[in-house]
Amino acid sequence: MEQDREGEARGALFRALPTLLLPWYDQNKRDLPWRENTDPYRVLVSELMLQQTRVEAAREHYVRFLRALPTVEALAACPEDALFKLWEGLGYYSRARNLQRAARLICENGFPQTAEGLKRLPGVGEYTAGAVASIAFGAPAPAVDGNVVRVLSRYLGDALPAAQLRKAYAAALAPVYPAGRCGDFTQSLMELGATVCTPSSPLCLACPLLSLCRTKSDALPLPARKPERRHTEVTMLLFFAGENVALCRRPAGGVLAGMYAFYTEERALSAQAVEEALARAGAGGAKVGQGTAHRHVFSHIEWEITAYPVDCTGREAAVCAAFGVAFYPLGKVKAELSLPSAYRWALRLFKE
Ligand code: SF4
């Protein structure tokens, strides 16, 4: 009996959401470049960009990206180096690669218009599929990310870790999607989480859900224990000769797969060990500079880096053969090639 009453009360809380949120959204939504229209390609690009990047950081990149690649056909045909250059600063380059693979599939087969169809595109999971299906195609497809879970768990008073709530919320939201305003409803939930029901110090007095909210506080959801990051000692060798610096490509299948990089070993090497490796490679006598320490944090790994500049003037061929690198003018590396931020910081170690 008690359970029935709670089930009914929760149903009423879900049904109240569109009525409370949509008028608030109409008045308060931020002016964001991806809200100019609901073209599916533009929506897909924005959702992939926003997967691991904050709105403010994505904004400028989005405008630049769309200016350079205004259509799905342009993205499908873009050379990978140019694509990565456009993505530079956003990190998680696998998203750019997925976006291009998705664009090629869309060019071949057309744009999927349902969440189920969208989920078959590379890089498109449950949340992104719901967002694109509802915003671009007006489908009643919920998009429940961490933000939305936070809003709803506070609104409903659900004291459980976020991961346990996501599916249940998606199932409960689907039937209350308002016909004709599905995209706005998805965006109103996201907008509330981003601007009012923020992770700490929610602005409850400005919240359209205040009258029905069961907590009116930031106490929920319960924090999930984050998996520990793996620490890895990394040695980078910054080979240079005059104005040229040496790069290789990251190996397939690992972090930053296929991206430009300085020669990297996932172990700590002393300057002496580097000199010995150079001698074995037929590049003995190359000058190894002082190591510089730097930490780079990925989502699941932390690199403790020591980077050694190595002046290998006159020994370029031996270095290229032994370490699998190629030399490029420093100016070109800075201006044209996309070097991930795990490596880009080291450019300052080359003297102009
Ligand atoms: S009233 Fe406060 S806690 Fe409740 S949904 Fe609104 S901002 Fe979040």
Side-chain angles (χ1 to χ4, degrees):
M1 198 64 172
E2 187 68 22
Q3 260 183 344
D4 289 351
R5 264 205 299 277
E6 172 59 6
E8 270 170 39
R10 289 174 70 86
L13 285 171
F14 275 103
R15 284 193 299 280
L17 284 171
T19 316
L20 295 174
L21 283 175
L22 288 171
W24 170 84
Y25 179 69
D26 290 339
Q27 298 243 313
N28 294 284
K29 66 179 170 202
R30 289 168 296 172
D31 192 13
L32 298 173
W34 44 88
R35 288 188 176 150
E36 273 170 25
N37 64 52
T38 56
D39 171 62
Y41 169 63
R42 293 171 61 94
V43 176
L44 181 66
V45 172
S46 69
E47 288 303 331
L48 268 270
M49 258 186 201
L50 289 167
Q51 271 177 7
Q52 267 123 343
T53 307
R54 286 175 305 106
V55 163
E56 284 316 312
R59 207 179 184 131
E60 263 182 43
H61 279 90
Y62 177 81
V63 172
R64 197 158 51 103
F65 192 95
L66 264 289
R67 203 176 290 139
L69 304 172
T71 61
V72 72
E73 291 79 12
L75 170 57
C78 182
E80 192 176 75
D81 279 355
L83 176 65
F84 285 167
K85 192 68 193 160
L86 283 168
W87 203 264
E88 196 173 87
L90 289 168
Y92 299 97
Y93 285 82
S94 56
R95 287 181 294 165
R97 229 181 241 129
N98 280 335
L99 194 53
Q100 184 168 58
R101 283 167 51 213
R104 288 177 179 158
L105 286 172
I106 291 166
C107 286
E108 272 172 37
N109 309 322
F111 220 118
Q113 304 203 359
T114 62
E116 283 313 308
L118 286 158
K119 264 193 283 181
R120 287 195 278 275
L121 295 176
V124 177
E126 199 85 40
Y127 167 79
T128 307
V132 177
S134 60
I135 298 170
F137 298 110
V144 182
D145 67 350
N147 263 321
V148 173
V149 167
R150 183 176 63 251
V151 172
L152 293 179
S153 65
R154 289 173 180 172
Y155 174 64
L156 296 154
D158 287 333
L160 287 168
Q164 292 179 33
L165 297 169
R166 205 174 285 232
K167 269 204 167 137
Y169 286 165
L173 280 172
V176 306
Y177 260 70
R181 298 213 60 190
C182 291
D184 287 341
F185 184 53
T186 289
Q187 294 193 83
S188 68
L189 278 162
M190 296 174 181
E191 192 76 354
L192 193 76
T195 63
V196 175
C197 195
T198 51
S200 54
S201 317
L203 307 171
C204 298
L205 292 179
C207 178
L209 306 185
L210 178 67
S211 60
L212 298 181
C213 180
R214 285 173 161 183
T215 66
K216 304 179 193 359
S217 85
D218 64 358
L220 297 170
L222 299 182
R225 279 241 326 268
K226 284 199 174 164
E228 296 253 311
R229 281 203 189 97
R230 184 161 56 83
H231 287 253
T232 307
E233 302 256 32
V234 166
T235 302
M236 285 182 192
L237 301 186
L238 315 177
F239 297 116
F240 68 97
E243 287 296 307
N244 296 323
V245 301
L247 299 178
C248 55
R249 294 278 194 171
R250 293 280 309 163
V255 276
L256 306 172
M259 303 293 301
Y260 283 112
F262 296 115
Y263 178 79
T264 307
E265 291 212 9
E266 294 201 6
R267 59 183 175 137
L269 288 175
S270 65
Q272 192 187 336
V274 173
E275 279 166 7
E276 287 165 8
L278 285 161
R280 282 196 299 278
K287 292 188 201 74
V288 179
Q290 207 178 352
T292 298
H294 182 86
R295 174 178 295 149
H296 186 85
V297 180
F298 297 94
S299 56
H300 55 302
I301 311 173
E302 212 162 303
W303 275 3
E304 303 290 349
I305 303 163
T306 307
Y308 296 98
V310 181
D311 183 352
C312 51
T313 306
R315 300 163 182 83
E316 291 94 320
V319 165
C320 288
F323 296 93
V325 294
F327 282 83
Y328 301 84
L330 181 57
K332 180 182 167 89
V333 173
K334 285 182 175 171
E336 293 172 37
L337 301 186
S338 176
L339 202 56
S341 54
Y343 290 95
R344 183 155 282 272
W345 68 273
L347 288 173
R348 66 179 151 83
L349 302 180
F350 294 108
K351 294 192 180 68
E352 294 289 341

PDB file of all heavy atoms in Angstrom, residues 150-151 154-155 192 196-198 202-205 207-210 213-218, ligand 1:
ATOM      1  N   ARG A 150      21.604  14.144 -11.269  1.00  0.00           N
ATOM      2  CA  ARG A 150      21.713  14.989 -10.065  1.00  0.00           C
ATOM      3  C   ARG A 150      20.402  15.751  -9.814  1.00  0.00           C
ATOM      4  O   ARG A 150      19.868  15.749  -8.713  1.00  0.00           O
ATOM      5  CB  ARG A 150      22.868  15.978 -10.236  1.00  0.00           C
ATOM      6  CG  ARG A 150      23.098  16.830  -9.005  1.00  0.00           C
ATOM      7  CD  ARG A 150      24.296  17.734  -9.160  1.00  0.00           C
ATOM      8  NE  ARG A 150      24.123  18.683 -10.236  1.00  0.00           N
ATOM      9  CZ  ARG A 150      24.767  18.643 -11.394  1.00  0.00           C
ATOM     10  NH1 ARG A 150      25.638  17.692 -11.634  1.00  0.00           N
ATOM     11  NH2 ARG A 150      24.545  19.559 -12.322  1.00  0.00           N
ATOM     12  N   VAL A 151      19.882  16.370 -10.873  1.00  0.00           N
ATOM     13  CA  VAL A 151      18.646  17.142 -10.723  1.00  0.00           C
ATOM     14  C   VAL A 151      17.516  16.239 -10.220  1.00  0.00           C
ATOM     15  O   VAL A 151      16.829  16.547  -9.234  1.00  0.00           O
ATOM     16  CB  VAL A 151      18.227  17.774 -12.077  1.00  0.00           C
ATOM     17  CG1 VAL A 151      16.846  18.405 -11.964  1.00  0.00           C
ATOM     18  CG2 VAL A 151      19.246  18.795 -12.534  1.00  0.00           C
ATOM     19  N   ARG A 154      17.748  14.798  -6.590  1.00  0.00           N
ATOM     20  CA  ARG A 154      17.407  15.792  -5.553  1.00  0.00           C
ATOM     21  C   ARG A 154      15.900  16.060  -5.557  1.00  0.00           C
ATOM     22  O   ARG A 154      15.268  16.123  -4.506  1.00  0.00           O
ATOM     23  CB  ARG A 154      18.168  17.088  -5.827  1.00  0.00           C
ATOM     24  CG  ARG A 154      19.650  16.954  -5.565  1.00  0.00           C
ATOM     25  CD  ARG A 154      20.377  18.194  -6.012  1.00  0.00           C
ATOM     26  NE  ARG A 154      21.810  18.075  -5.773  1.00  0.00           N
ATOM     27  CZ  ARG A 154      22.697  18.957  -6.211  1.00  0.00           C
ATOM     28  NH1 ARG A 154      22.302  20.004  -6.906  1.00  0.00           N
ATOM     29  NH2 ARG A 154      23.969  18.789  -5.950  1.00  0.00           N
ATOM     30  N   TYR A 155      15.357  16.205  -6.749  1.00  0.00           N
ATOM     31  CA  TYR A 155      13.921  16.494  -6.896  1.00  0.00           C
ATOM     32  C   TYR A 155      13.080  15.383  -6.261  1.00  0.00           C
ATOM     33  O   TYR A 155      12.103  15.628  -5.556  1.00  0.00           O
ATOM     34  CB  TYR A 155      13.655  16.639  -8.392  1.00  0.00           C
ATOM     35  CG  TYR A 155      12.215  16.815  -8.821  1.00  0.00           C
ATOM     36  CD1 TYR A 155      11.481  17.935  -8.448  1.00  0.00           C
ATOM     37  CD2 TYR A 155      11.608  15.870  -9.647  1.00  0.00           C
ATOM     38  CE1 TYR A 155      10.159  18.098  -8.890  1.00  0.00           C
ATOM     39  CE2 TYR A 155      10.303  16.036 -10.093  1.00  0.00           C
ATOM     40  CZ  TYR A 155       9.585  17.146  -9.703  1.00  0.00           C
ATOM     41  OH  TYR A 155       8.291  17.309 -10.137  1.00  0.00           O
ATOM     42  N   LEU A 192      18.830  23.123 -16.488  1.00  0.00           N
ATOM     43  CA  LEU A 192      18.612  23.287 -15.047  1.00  0.00           C
ATOM     44  C   LEU A 192      19.820  22.747 -14.269  1.00  0.00           C
ATOM     45  O   LEU A 192      20.287  23.374 -13.318  1.00  0.00           O
ATOM     46  CB  LEU A 192      17.330  22.568 -14.610  1.00  0.00           C
ATOM     47  CG  LEU A 192      16.870  22.960 -13.202  1.00  0.00           C
ATOM     48  CD1 LEU A 192      16.227  24.343 -13.208  1.00  0.00           C
ATOM     49  CD2 LEU A 192      15.884  21.953 -12.624  1.00  0.00           C
ATOM     50  N   VAL A 196      21.262  25.925 -12.498  1.00  0.00           N
ATOM     51  CA  VAL A 196      20.525  26.146 -11.237  1.00  0.00           C
ATOM     52  C   VAL A 196      20.810  25.035 -10.224  1.00  0.00           C
ATOM     53  O   VAL A 196      21.304  25.282  -9.132  1.00  0.00           O
ATOM     54  CB  VAL A 196      19.002  26.255 -11.503  1.00  0.00           C
ATOM     55  CG1 VAL A 196      18.235  26.360 -10.182  1.00  0.00           C
ATOM     56  CG2 VAL A 196      18.701  27.464 -12.377  1.00  0.00           C
ATOM     57  N   CYS A 197      20.538  23.797 -10.617  1.00  0.00           N
ATOM     58  CA  CYS A 197      20.748  22.672  -9.696  1.00  0.00           C
ATOM     59  C   CYS A 197      22.176  22.164  -9.891  1.00  0.00           C
ATOM     60  O   CYS A 197      22.419  21.045 -10.317  1.00  0.00           O
ATOM     61  CB  CYS A 197      19.715  21.574  -9.961  1.00  0.00           C
ATOM     62  SG  CYS A 197      19.639  20.381  -8.621  1.00  0.00           S
ATOM     63  N   THR A 198      23.125  23.017  -9.577  1.00  0.00           N
ATOM     64  CA  THR A 198      24.548  22.746  -9.825  1.00  0.00           C
ATOM     65  C   THR A 198      25.090  21.778  -8.769  1.00  0.00           C
ATOM     66  O   THR A 198      24.457  21.592  -7.730  1.00  0.00           O
ATOM     67  CB  THR A 198      25.329  24.068  -9.794  1.00  0.00           C
ATOM     68  OG1 THR A 198      24.984  24.748  -8.591  1.00  0.00           O
ATOM     69  CG2 THR A 198      24.982  24.944 -10.978  1.00  0.00           C
ATOM     70  N   PRO A 202      23.180  24.548  -5.020  1.00  0.00           N
ATOM     71  CA  PRO A 202      22.107  24.782  -6.004  1.00  0.00           C
ATOM     72  C   PRO A 202      21.316  26.039  -5.641  1.00  0.00           C
ATOM     73  O   PRO A 202      21.176  26.369  -4.462  1.00  0.00           O
ATOM     74  CB  PRO A 202      21.236  23.536  -5.857  1.00  0.00           C
ATOM     75  CG  PRO A 202      21.534  22.999  -4.503  1.00  0.00           C
ATOM     76  CD  PRO A 202      22.965  23.339  -4.217  1.00  0.00           C
ATOM     77  N   LEU A 203      20.836  26.713  -6.692  1.00  0.00           N
ATOM     78  CA  LEU A 203      20.113  27.969  -6.472  1.00  0.00           C
ATOM     79  C   LEU A 203      18.623  27.660  -6.321  1.00  0.00           C
ATOM     80  O   LEU A 203      17.806  27.967  -7.201  1.00  0.00           O
ATOM     81  CB  LEU A 203      20.357  28.910  -7.661  1.00  0.00           C
ATOM     82  CG  LEU A 203      21.828  29.138  -8.003  1.00  0.00           C
ATOM     83  CD1 LEU A 203      21.972  29.897  -9.315  1.00  0.00           C
ATOM     84  CD2 LEU A 203      22.511  29.887  -6.867  1.00  0.00           C
ATOM     85  N   CYS A 204      18.261  27.035  -5.209  1.00  0.00           N
ATOM     86  CA  CYS A 204      16.892  26.527  -5.057  1.00  0.00           C
ATOM     87  C   CYS A 204      15.842  27.630  -5.170  1.00  0.00           C
ATOM     88  O   CYS A 204      14.754  27.399  -5.700  1.00  0.00           O
ATOM     89  CB  CYS A 204      16.748  25.794  -3.731  1.00  0.00           C
ATOM     90  SG  CYS A 204      17.819  24.351  -3.637  1.00  0.00           S
ATOM     91  N   LEU A 205      16.169  28.818  -4.699  1.00  0.00           N
ATOM     92  CA  LEU A 205      15.149  29.879  -4.734  1.00  0.00           C
ATOM     93  C   LEU A 205      14.835  30.321  -6.162  1.00  0.00           C
ATOM     94  O   LEU A 205      13.792  30.909  -6.418  1.00  0.00           O
ATOM     95  CB  LEU A 205      15.596  31.082  -3.888  1.00  0.00           C
ATOM     96  CG  LEU A 205      15.650  30.796  -2.390  1.00  0.00           C
ATOM     97  CD1 LEU A 205      16.126  32.017  -1.625  1.00  0.00           C
ATOM     98  CD2 LEU A 205      14.289  30.338  -1.867  1.00  0.00           C
ATOM     99  N   CYS A 207      14.709  28.101  -8.622  1.00  0.00           N
ATOM    100  CA  CYS A 207      14.438  26.845  -9.345  1.00  0.00           C
ATOM    101  C   CYS A 207      12.953  26.662  -9.630  1.00  0.00           C
ATOM    102  O   CYS A 207      12.116  26.789  -8.722  1.00  0.00           O
ATOM    103  CB  CYS A 207      14.957  25.668  -8.514  1.00  0.00           C
ATOM    104  SG  CYS A 207      14.632  24.084  -9.296  1.00  0.00           S
ATOM    105  N   PRO A 208      12.606  26.331 -10.858  1.00  0.00           N
ATOM    106  CA  PRO A 208      11.189  26.116 -11.183  1.00  0.00           C
ATOM    107  C   PRO A 208      10.608  24.861 -10.518  1.00  0.00           C
ATOM    108  O   PRO A 208       9.395  24.683 -10.489  1.00  0.00           O
ATOM    109  CB  PRO A 208      11.198  25.963 -12.709  1.00  0.00           C
ATOM    110  CG  PRO A 208      12.580  25.526 -13.048  1.00  0.00           C
ATOM    111  CD  PRO A 208      13.480  26.162 -12.026  1.00  0.00           C
ATOM    112  N   LEU A 209      11.483  23.986  -9.993  1.00  0.00           N
ATOM    113  CA  LEU A 209      10.997  22.757  -9.338  1.00  0.00           C
ATOM    114  C   LEU A 209      10.852  22.920  -7.829  1.00  0.00           C
ATOM    115  O   LEU A 209      10.472  21.973  -7.132  1.00  0.00           O
ATOM    116  CB  LEU A 209      11.964  21.591  -9.621  1.00  0.00           C
ATOM    117  CG  LEU A 209      12.300  21.289 -11.087  1.00  0.00           C
ATOM    118  CD1 LEU A 209      13.170  20.036 -11.177  1.00  0.00           C
ATOM    119  CD2 LEU A 209      11.027  21.101 -11.907  1.00  0.00           C
ATOM    120  N   LEU A 210      11.143  24.097  -7.330  1.00  0.00           N
ATOM    121  CA  LEU A 210      11.214  24.296  -5.871  1.00  0.00           C
ATOM    122  C   LEU A 210       9.954  23.818  -5.144  1.00  0.00           C
ATOM    123  O   LEU A 210      10.036  23.147  -4.117  1.00  0.00           O
ATOM    124  CB  LEU A 210      11.474  25.782  -5.568  1.00  0.00           C
ATOM    125  CG  LEU A 210      11.535  26.145  -4.075  1.00  0.00           C
ATOM    126  CD1 LEU A 210      12.759  25.503  -3.432  1.00  0.00           C
ATOM    127  CD2 LEU A 210      11.588  27.657  -3.885  1.00  0.00           C
ATOM    128  N   CYS A 213      10.093  19.981  -5.092  1.00  0.00           N
ATOM    129  CA  CYS A 213      11.373  19.291  -4.821  1.00  0.00           C
ATOM    130  C   CYS A 213      11.383  18.718  -3.405  1.00  0.00           C
ATOM    131  O   CYS A 213      11.054  19.409  -2.440  1.00  0.00           O
ATOM    132  CB  CYS A 213      12.540  20.257  -5.008  1.00  0.00           C
ATOM    133  SG  CYS A 213      14.121  19.468  -4.687  1.00  0.00           S
ATOM    134  N   ARG A 214      11.797  17.463  -3.307  1.00  0.00           N
ATOM    135  CA  ARG A 214      11.750  16.794  -2.002  1.00  0.00           C
ATOM    136  C   ARG A 214      12.968  17.085  -1.133  1.00  0.00           C
ATOM    137  O   ARG A 214      12.980  16.728   0.040  1.00  0.00           O
ATOM    138  CB  ARG A 214      11.640  15.282  -2.216  1.00  0.00           C
ATOM    139  CG  ARG A 214      10.260  14.851  -2.661  1.00  0.00           C
ATOM    140  CD  ARG A 214      10.272  13.373  -3.008  1.00  0.00           C
ATOM    141  NE  ARG A 214       8.926  12.817  -3.014  1.00  0.00           N
ATOM    142  CZ  ARG A 214       8.663  11.541  -3.237  1.00  0.00           C
ATOM    143  NH1 ARG A 214       9.648  10.685  -3.460  1.00  0.00           N
ATOM    144  NH2 ARG A 214       7.426  11.101  -3.228  1.00  0.00           N
ATOM    145  N   THR A 215      14.031  17.651  -1.676  1.00  0.00           N
ATOM    146  CA  THR A 215      15.205  17.893  -0.824  1.00  0.00           C
ATOM    147  C   THR A 215      15.549  19.385  -0.704  1.00  0.00           C
ATOM    148  O   THR A 215      15.978  19.829   0.328  1.00  0.00           O
ATOM    149  CB  THR A 215      16.465  17.180  -1.373  1.00  0.00           C
ATOM    150  OG1 THR A 215      16.816  17.759  -2.610  1.00  0.00           O
ATOM    151  CG2 THR A 215      16.244  15.702  -1.519  1.00  0.00           C
ATOM    152  N   LYS A 216      15.419  20.108  -1.800  1.00  0.00           N
ATOM    153  CA  LYS A 216      15.814  21.522  -1.841  1.00  0.00           C
ATOM    154  C   LYS A 216      17.230  21.690  -1.283  1.00  0.00           C
ATOM    155  O   LYS A 216      17.517  22.585  -0.492  1.00  0.00           O
ATOM    156  CB  LYS A 216      14.843  22.393  -1.035  1.00  0.00           C
ATOM    157  CG  LYS A 216      13.389  22.250  -1.477  1.00  0.00           C
ATOM    158  CD  LYS A 216      12.503  23.098  -0.629  1.00  0.00           C
ATOM    159  CE  LYS A 216      11.019  22.856  -0.720  1.00  0.00           C
ATOM    160  NZ  LYS A 216      10.426  21.897  -1.575  1.00  0.00           N
ATOM    161  N   SER A 217      18.107  20.798  -1.672  1.00  0.00           N
ATOM    162  CA  SER A 217      19.479  20.869  -1.145  1.00  0.00           C
ATOM    163  C   SER A 217      20.443  20.152  -2.072  1.00  0.00           C
ATOM    164  O   SER A 217      20.037  19.441  -2.990  1.00  0.00           O
ATOM    165  CB  SER A 217      19.547  20.216   0.225  1.00  0.00           C
ATOM    166  OG  SER A 217      19.726  18.823   0.073  1.00  0.00           O
ATOM    167  N   ASP A 218      21.745  20.309  -1.755  1.00  0.00           N
ATOM    168  CA  ASP A 218      22.762  19.656  -2.589  1.00  0.00           C
ATOM    169  C   ASP A 218      23.216  18.324  -1.989  1.00  0.00           C
ATOM    170  O   ASP A 218      24.276  17.825  -2.324  1.00  0.00           O
ATOM    171  CB  ASP A 218      23.966  20.591  -2.799  1.00  0.00           C
ATOM    172  CG  ASP A 218      24.682  20.887  -1.489  1.00  0.00           C
ATOM    173  OD1 ASP A 218      24.211  20.406  -0.441  1.00  0.00           O
ATOM    174  OD2 ASP A 218      25.689  21.597  -1.528  1.00  0.00           O
TER     175      ASP A 218
HETATM  176  S1  SF4 B   1      14.881  22.972  -5.602  1.00  0.00           S
HETATM  177 FE1  SF4 B   1      17.083  22.989  -5.382  1.00  0.00          FE
HETATM  178  S2  SF4 B   1      17.710  20.858  -5.098  1.00  0.00           S
HETATM  179 FE2  SF4 B   1      15.602  20.875  -5.855  1.00  0.00          FE
HETATM  180  S3  SF4 B   1      15.825  20.588  -8.055  1.00  0.00           S
HETATM  181 FE3  SF4 B   1      15.713  22.801  -7.654  1.00  0.00          FE
HETATM  182  S4  SF4 B   1      17.821  23.511  -7.410  1.00  0.00           S
HETATM  183 FE4  SF4 B   1      17.828  21.267  -7.285  1.00  0.00          FE
END
